Amino acid sequence: MKKRRLKNVAYKMTIFKAMIPLLFISLVSIITSCSTKGPHDKEVKRDEIALPAAGKAEMGNDHRISLELNAMQKNHQLKNMRDHLEAVQSIIALLASDKYEEASKVAYSRLGSTTEMKLMCASFGDKNFEKLGLEFHSSADTMSEIFKMGDKKKSLNALSNTLNYCVRCHASYRQ
């Protein structure tokens, strides 16, 4: 049993070490937000995101908009956001291995504009939050299609664009 755990830990460390260069590339891509979008693809650049004062404030001075969620809604939303984060991690690992088709499937099924996600975004009662959420999911649909091209630079730019929606939402809203 101990041997299996050690092998599992070693395997995870190997995967993590292999992901470091891709994480660095992703970070650089996010920071630079190079545009390779066509005229029909909407791109949210990092410098276009208006961060509220909370982004630079001390803890306790959180001026983000509260969604006024009850305990059940909070737990459900946290579960979804954690799943989104795990999906992004999976996508990065798949892109690092040049598994674009698999990354595309993960992007669409776990981040895309599924009926479940559309209903979820509409359930919070805040129209701006709903709009931002729907734009996030739509960007994941676009990202999924870009992954199918098998172009790493375009794929990373698409991932950066989708993550910009995450940054924008977390800078604007809190539970």
Side-chain angles (χ1 to χ4, degrees):
M1 188 67 135
K2 247 185 183 180
K3 196 173 188 179
R4 180 183 281 173
R5 273 193 225 136
L6 288 175
K7 275 187 172 182
N8 193 15
V9 168
Y11 174 74
K12 287 180 180 179
M13 288 300 295
T14 302
I15 296 294
F16 179 75
K17 286 178 185 177
M19 286 178 39
I20 290 173
L22 187 57
L23 290 170
F24 178 75
I25 291 168
S26 296
L27 179 61
V28 170
S29 179
I30 289 168
I31 292 169
T32 60
S33 293
C34 297
S35 178
T36 58
K37 299 288 181 189
H40 302 293
D41 294 327
K42 183 176 180 181
E43 180 175 349
V44 176
K45 292 184 181 173
R46 178 75 170 103
D47 58 349
E48 293 174 359
I49 300 171
L51 296 176
K56 299 175 185 167
E58 298 173 19
M59 293 298 284
N61 292 333
D62 191 348
H63 300 290
R64 295 175 297 159
I65 299 165
S66 173
L67 292 173
E68 304 293 330
L69 303 178
N70 65 41
M72 184 191 77
Q73 290 172 314
K74 281 183 182 183
N75 287 331
H76 193 256
Q77 183 63 7
L78 282 171
K79 181 181 175 289
N80 280 329
M81 287 187 292
R82 288 180 186 125
D83 185 66
H84 292 348
L85 184 59
E86 288 175 7
V88 169
Q89 188 279 327
S90 294
I91 287 168
I92 291 170
L94 291 166
L95 293 177
S97 301
D98 296 324
K99 295 180 180 176
Y100 296 98
E101 280 296 322
E102 290 178 50
S104 175
K105 289 176 186 173
V106 171
Y108 180 76
S109 66
R110 293 180 60 191
L111 303 175
S113 297
T114 61
T115 302
E116 178 187 6
M117 291 302 159
K118 288 177 183 178
L119 291 171
M120 178 96 46
C121 290
S123 71
F124 291 98
D126 183 298
K127 289 298 177 189
N128 290 326
F129 179 82
E130 178 181 354
K131 182 178 183 265
L132 186 57
L134 293 174
E135 288 173 352
F136 162 79
H137 294 297
S138 178
S139 77
D141 294 338
T142 301
M143 178 175 67
S144 174
E145 292 302 313
I146 290 171
F147 289 168
K148 291 177 184 177
M149 295 178 198
D151 182 307
K152 192 160 283 190
K153 184 175 181 177
K154 287 181 181 180
S155 295
L156 290 174
N157 282 326
L159 177 59
S160 173
N161 183 56
T162 297
L163 287 173
N164 279 330
Y165 284 102
C166 299
V167 171
R168 187 170 160 195
C169 188
H170 284 271
S172 301
Y173 293 94
R174 63 183 172 87
Q175 289 191 339

